[in-house]
Amino acid sequence: MANLLALFVIVAVGYWVMMIISRKKRELANKEFLQKEQFLKETQSLLKAETPSVVSPLKSQTFQPIAHGDFRQKVSTYFMEQGYSLTESPKAKGIDLIGVKEKELLLIRSENILKEVKKLDLQLFISECSVYIDHNPMLKSRSVIRIYATNRPITEEAQTFVRENPASLRLIEDI
């Protein structure tokens, strides 16, 4: 009789544990679904950015400093011509533009204010991209391409860093 009672208690506890686990799984799936929906809504609102106006060609061949907004516009136009849907990223520190194309996620920094681009600037950009992706887990399924676009001089140390880490960062100097 004691064995039968002990068996009944073990089966009841096992059933109770399985019910709790299945309920927690449902709650977790529901929470993930709600986060996914919220992320999709935020992403769609980001992608509904204004279409950029066409940048007029330079009339003279002399070098004139390009305003930050104009340089960002040139970078934006370049990647839109490559087939990316771009939006400005006011929420992400250090990331100027976010682009999406099929399974690719493009994180772009357009820099033309610094005197020269240093290795530390590139490393900070990579870390800011990592933080952005960590805060948006739905982006982890996309292949991430980090682009640092600049028309400023680049130190030798920064160029060496880019050559040694081609999977981490792409540097674009001529747009």
Side-chain angles (χ1 to χ4, degrees), residues 2 19 114 118 135 174:
M19 293 300 292
L114 294 175
K118 299 178 182 173
H135 287 300
D174 300 320

Side-chain angles (χ1 to χ4, degrees), residues 56 83 100 137 142:
S56 61
V100 177
R142 296 183 178 269

Side-chain angles (χ1 to χ4, degrees), residues 6-116:
L7 180 64
F8 178 72
V9 170
I10 291 173
V11 169
V13 169
Y15 178 75
W16 181 64
V17 168
M18 294 302 292
M19 293 300 292
I20 290 174
I21 291 172
S22 66
R23 186 181 76 215
K24 291 294 182 183
K25 283 183 180 179
R26 282 193 309 270
E27 289 174 359
L28 182 63
N30 189 29
K31 186 176 179 180
E32 287 177 353
F33 177 75
L34 292 174
Q35 286 178 345
K36 179 181 176 183
E37 289 296 317
Q38 180 183 1
F39 174 75
L40 289 175
K41 287 178 184 176
E42 289 175 2
T43 304
Q44 287 173 349
S45 68
L46 285 174
L47 291 177
K48 290 182 182 176
E50 298 176 21
T51 56
S53 60
V54 177
V55 176
S56 61
L58 295 174
K59 295 187 180 184
S60 66
Q61 295 292 36
T62 60
F63 176 76
Q64 297 175 0
I66 299 174
H68 187 62
D70 293 340
F71 183 70
R72 185 181 293 174
Q73 185 67 37
K74 285 180 82 173
V75 171
S76 176
T77 303
Y78 173 79
F79 284 106
M80 289 182 84
E81 289 172 354
Q82 303 295 320
Y84 289 93
S85 298
L86 291 179
T87 183
E88 291 192 21
S89 176
K91 294 181 183 178
K93 180 183 174 191
I95 300 172
D96 295 326
L97 299 167
I98 297 175
V100 177
K101 177 178 154 184
E102 297 169 4
K103 288 287 188 177
E104 292 180 355
L105 173 68
L106 200 63
L107 301 174
I108 304 170
R109 170 73 186 248
S110 59
E111 180 62 62
N112 70 334
I113 296 174
L114 294 175
K115 182 177 180 181
E116 63 183 1

Side-chain angles (χ1 to χ4, degrees), residues 133-149:
I133 292 169
D134 288 344
H135 287 300
N136 297 293
M138 296 303 298
L139 299 175
K140 290 183 180 180
S141 64
R142 296 183 178 269
S143 63
V144 178
I145 302 171
R146 296 174 196 89
I147 304 287
Y148 199 98

